[in-house]
Amino acid sequence: MNSIGEACNDLKKEYDACFNTWFSEHFLRGSTNDSMCAPLFKVYQQCVKKAMKDQKIDLQEVSADVLGGSKEKKIENS
């Protein structure tokens, strides 16, 4: 799966590879220290945030709780 921003695709692939290595070689063997991929994640996260801003996607709007709230669209029964 590609990233939200085309410019972030290579960073996503690098982070995914690091995460998969960490998960299989460290986490599954009992080590929960996830710092080995943190620098890659930070750079990738910055790229994604910029891509969202460029595409005018509001992070707060995306993460808002809508279901069960006043903003949830309801189907009116006729």
Side-chain angles (χ1 to χ4, degrees):
M1 176 188 289
N2 287 333
S3 183
I4 189 169
E6 189 174 329
C8 304
N9 285 338
D10 288 341
L11 292 170
K12 181 182 185 305
K13 288 177 187 173
E14 287 181 54
Y15 173 70
D16 285 349
C18 183
F19 177 84
N20 289 334
T21 299
W22 169 79
F23 187 79
S24 63
E25 296 179 13
H26 298 276
F27 182 77
L28 292 178
R29 295 179 183 177
S31 174
T32 57
N33 181 347
D34 61 355
S35 64
M36 74 179 262
C37 299
L40 285 173
F41 178 73
K42 186 174 183 176
V43 173
Y44 173 59
Q45 183 182 45
Q46 290 170 344
C47 187
V48 168
K49 285 180 180 181
K50 182 183 181 318
M52 289 176 69
K53 185 177 179 183
D54 292 347
Q55 295 178 35
K56 297 178 177 40
I57 299 171
D58 182 4
L59 185 58
Q60 289 179 340
E61 185 177 315
V62 171
S63 63
D65 290 331
V66 175
L67 295 178
S70 62
K71 294 183 178 181
E72 180 179 2
K73 293 185 179 179
K74 310 242 181 198
I75 299 174
E76 295 183 29
N77 294 331
S78 302

